[in-house]
């Protein structure tokens, strides 16, 4: 029916314009509107391949127009302050207020439902403590590390140049320098913008070995030695997997690869830059630890660790077995969660694979305690950190320090437009379009990054003191309450079992962990 109306309307419009134009010549200008609409309708019917447009030529485009702007409509007009995803308005506003140095006080009470299942809180003390500023830092470096690093409790998580614009990297790294914390390079390698800012770096090596890569895509030890010797490179992180796309590797779309990025990474132009799902340099837990030791030696004794999102439990336990068998231990382990973000990932991987951060932290904590190695290895938690309480929660469940990525992007100007993978980021943060990237004011945004970091770490210390503790490391699962399904609360000490030191080394292994431990092997993942 609509197609028939289109044909009739087209004929009527042409006849009308011709008739009216014969009476008054200016009416012929209506063809400027009529002809394109007729051509568009004919294209829709015969060439578009869209069911809606075939049946509803011209007017069917309204459907796609509304669909295009619907995320923005929902974000600004429909979502409640606490219902947005991945980050709600309350979270985004908190970051913005702290980044801009504005008061972040709340009027009229919390907007969260404190009786909702999953709600977290802590109990305060009638004898609050003042927590020393010294508690805001952690020394990273085990017994085999010659150059330990005093790290902030909060640092910038892995985000590569290429995924982010040059100005965004500059703002983040300058902010790290101003605030005295570290900036993870992401697997894209050390760019000139990481070095220009002067902030401390954690150099991440992914499966593509970008920045220390042979022509065939393998690991180049001499290139690594040269760059790891840079004074601003404080730690080395081997990326095994990440929460947003575990076991998938990385993807930088060809549209975002510039000649500069190709040179930094050592990859060709014109094709997607793919990081393989697995490393070439090792294929077993023992091989991983031997690679850790090799990088530690090549870097002159700097802290070396690895990052992973926990998946099959026996595989991480295999790494623990390998630590016992070889005597080689990483200086740190970064635990990512399934709720972590990235610029581009298959939907199913982001939605359905990987262990959430809290479960992952508890598992890693129990494994390291169970094999008696927890004191030698620092644990870093990644995945969705906004506030000081988020840091308290993760530290209470096993982390020593925390990394944040997307909230640092908010401080740089990100508005959660969800276009990171399209190279059309409206704020210039996640794009290689130089015109768009100019929107990031480096001088201003570096201060926002430092402000957000300072306020969030201050919040961490204040909350720890309010709980009645003087030492951040004294936080434990007993301090955090979670609302559960029967409308009661339970502490995480009640929700999870926590094993005693050395539990995996004896005969009475905890029943939950024993089947996985028995299946684990140091010689195979």
């Amino acid at each position: 029916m609509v197609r028939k109306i289109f044909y009739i309307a087209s004929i009527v419009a042409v006849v009308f314009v011709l008739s009216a134009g014969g009476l008054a010549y200016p009416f012929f200008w209506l063809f400027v509107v009529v002809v394109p609409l007729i051509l568009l309708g004919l294209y829709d019917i015969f060439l578009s391949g869209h069911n809606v447009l075939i049946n509803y030529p011209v007017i069917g485009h309204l459907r796609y127009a509304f669909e295009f702007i619907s995320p923005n409509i929902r974000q600004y007009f429909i979502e409640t302050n606490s219902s947005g995803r991945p980050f709600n308005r309350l979270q985004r506003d908190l970051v913005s207020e702290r980044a801009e140095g504005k008061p972040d006080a709340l009027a009229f009470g919390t907007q969260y439902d404190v009786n909702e299942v999953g709600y977290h809180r802590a109990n305060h003390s009638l004898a609050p403590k003042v927590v020393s500023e010294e508690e805001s830092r952690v020394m990273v470096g085990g017994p085999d590390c010659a150059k330990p690093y005093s790290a902030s409790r909060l640092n910038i998580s892995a985000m590569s140049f290429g995924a982010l614009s040059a100005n965004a990297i500059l703002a983040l790294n300058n902010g790290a320098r101003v605030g005295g914390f570290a900036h993870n390079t992401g697997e894209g390698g050390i760019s000139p913008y990481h070095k220009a800012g002067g902030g401390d770096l954690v150099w991440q090596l992914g499966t593509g070995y970008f920045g220390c890569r042979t022509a065939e895509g393998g690991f180049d030890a001499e290139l690594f030695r040269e760059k790891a010797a840079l004074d601003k490179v404080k730690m080395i992180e081997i990326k095994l997997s990440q929460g947003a796309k575990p076991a998938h590797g990385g993807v930088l779309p060809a549209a975002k690869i510039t000649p500069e990025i190709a040179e930094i990474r050592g990859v060709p132009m014109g094709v997607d830059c793919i990081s393989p799902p697995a490393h070439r340099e090792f294929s077993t837990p023992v091989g991983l630890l031997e690679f850790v030791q090799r990088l530690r030696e090549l870097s002159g004794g700097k802290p070396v660790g690895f990052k992973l999102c926990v998946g099959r439990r026996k595989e991480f336990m295999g790494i623990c077995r390998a630590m016992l068998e070889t005597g080689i231990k990483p200086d740190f382990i970064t635990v990512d969660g399934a709720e972590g973000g990235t610029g581009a990932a298959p939907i199913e991987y982001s939605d359905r694979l990987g262990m959430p951060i809290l479960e992952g932290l508890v598992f890693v904590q129990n494994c390291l305690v169970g094999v008696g190695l927890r004191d030698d290895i620092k644990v870093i938690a990644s995945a969705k950190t906004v506030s000081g309480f988020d840091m308290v929660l993760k530290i209470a469940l096993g982390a020593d320090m925390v990394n944040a990525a997307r909230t640092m992007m908010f401080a740089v100007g990100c508005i959660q437009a969800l276009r990171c993978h399209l190279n059309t980021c409206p704020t210039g943060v996640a794009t290689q379009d130089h015109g768009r990237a100019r929107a990031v004011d480096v001088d201003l945004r570096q201060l926002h990054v430092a402000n957000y970091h300072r306020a969030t770490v201050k919040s961490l210390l204040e909350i720890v003191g309010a709980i009645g503790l003087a030492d951040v490391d004294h936080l434990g699962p007993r301090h955090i309450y979670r609302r559960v399904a029967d409308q009661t609360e339970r502490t995480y000490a009640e929700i999870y079992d926590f094993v005693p030191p050395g539990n995996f080394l004896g005969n009475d292994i905890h029943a939950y962990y024993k089947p996985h431990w028995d299946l684990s092997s140091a010689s195979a993942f």
Side-chain angles (χ1 to χ4, degrees), residues 350-365:
S350 289
D351 287 348
R352 302 297 176 183
L353 290 188
M355 191 179 290
I357 184 61
L358 300 186
E359 285 83 352
L361 273 176
V362 170
F363 179 77
V364 168
Q365 171 76 0

Side-chain angles (χ1 to χ4, degrees), residues 318-330:
I319 298 174
C320 294
R321 280 191 183 275
M323 294 180 201
L324 296 174
E325 290 188 12
T326 65
I328 302 171
K329 293 164 286 189

Side-chain angles (χ1 to χ4, degrees), residues 20 23 26 87 109 135 168 257 268 302 337 344 406 418 444 451 476 491 495:
L23 299 174
F87 293 85
E135 290 295 311
I257 298 177
K302 293 182 178 180
R406 288 169 291 179
L418 308 182
L444 174 66
N451 287 343
T491 69
I495 294 173

Side-chain angles (χ1 to χ4, degrees), residues 211 227 257-269:
K227 294 182 179 179
I257 298 177
T258 65
E260 181 180 37
I261 292 172
E263 181 179 355
I264 292 168
R265 296 196 176 198
V267 298
M269 290 283 294

Side-chain angles (χ1 to χ4, degrees), residues 430-445:
T431 182
Q432 291 306 303
D433 183 321
H434 294 295
R436 292 174 180 269
R438 288 170 55 192
V440 179
D441 185 332
V442 175
D443 292 336
L444 174 66
R445 292 299 180 175

Side-chain angles (χ1 to χ4, degrees), residues 142-398:
D144 299 324
C145 178
K147 298 179 180 178
Y149 173 59
S150 175
S152 170
R153 294 273 185 182
L154 177 64
N155 300 286
I156 301 172
S157 195
M159 294 181 286
S160 303
F161 171 60
L164 300 191
S165 67
N167 277 12
I169 295 293
L170 278 170
L172 290 169
N173 197 258
N174 273 294
R177 173 181 52 79
V178 172
F181 52 101
H183 178 192
N184 192 305
T185 65
E187 65 178 311
I190 304 171
S191 74
Y193 311 104
H194 288 105
K195 293 186 287 188
D200 290 346
L201 295 175
V202 178
W203 183 12
Q204 185 183 85
L205 291 187
T207 55
Y209 306 115
F210 301 124
C212 55
R213 172 186 174 98
T214 65
E216 296 76 26
F219 174 70
D220 188 317
E222 290 309 311
L223 273 177
F224 173 82
R225 188 198 303 273
E226 175 187 334
K227 294 182 179 179
L230 293 171
D231 181 61
K232 283 302 176 182
V233 174
K234 302 299 184 182
M235 303 199 300
I236 314 296
E237 180 180 80
I238 303 166
K239 176 186 168 185
L240 302 181
S241 63
Q242 67 182 96
K245 48 185 177 183
H248 188 268
V251 180
L252 182 65
K256 296 181 73 172
I257 298 177
T258 65
E260 181 180 37
I261 292 172
E263 181 179 355
I264 292 168
R265 296 196 176 198
V267 298
M269 290 283 294
V271 295
D272 290 346
C273 179
I274 306 294
S275 300
H279 280 264
R280 293 187 180 187
E281 291 298 306
F282 55 87
S283 59
T284 66
V286 167
L288 164 62
L289 295 179
E290 290 174 344
F291 192 54
V292 166
Q293 180 65 18
R294 185 181 178 195
L295 296 187
R296 192 184 283 131
E297 293 170 355
L298 288 170
S299 66
K302 293 182 178 180
V304 179
F306 58 84
K307 172 182 178 177
L308 83 166
C309 175
V310 179
R312 299 174 67 184
R313 292 167 175 82
K314 74 180 186 71
E315 294 179 349
F316 182 78
M317 287 180 161
I319 298 174
C320 294
R321 280 191 183 275
M323 294 180 201
L324 296 174
E325 290 188 12
T326 65
I328 302 171
K329 293 164 286 189
D331 297 293
F332 65 92
I333 296 173
T334 302
V335 184
D336 201 3
E339 58 271 65
T342 187
I347 292 174
E348 295 89 347
Y349 279 73
S350 289
D351 287 348
R352 302 297 176 183
L353 290 188
M355 191 179 290
I357 184 61
L358 300 186
E359 285 83 352
L361 273 176
V362 170
F363 179 77
V364 168
Q365 171 76 0
N366 272 333
C367 287
L368 295 178
V369 170
V371 296
L373 297 177
R374 180 63 181 86
D375 292 341
D376 294 334
I377 301 170
K378 291 295 184 287
V379 175
I380 305 172
S382 189
K384 206 171 184 180
T385 295
V386 178
S387 66
F389 186 80
D390 292 336
M391 296 183 66
V392 167
L393 174 59
K394 291 173 180 176
I395 292 172
L397 293 186

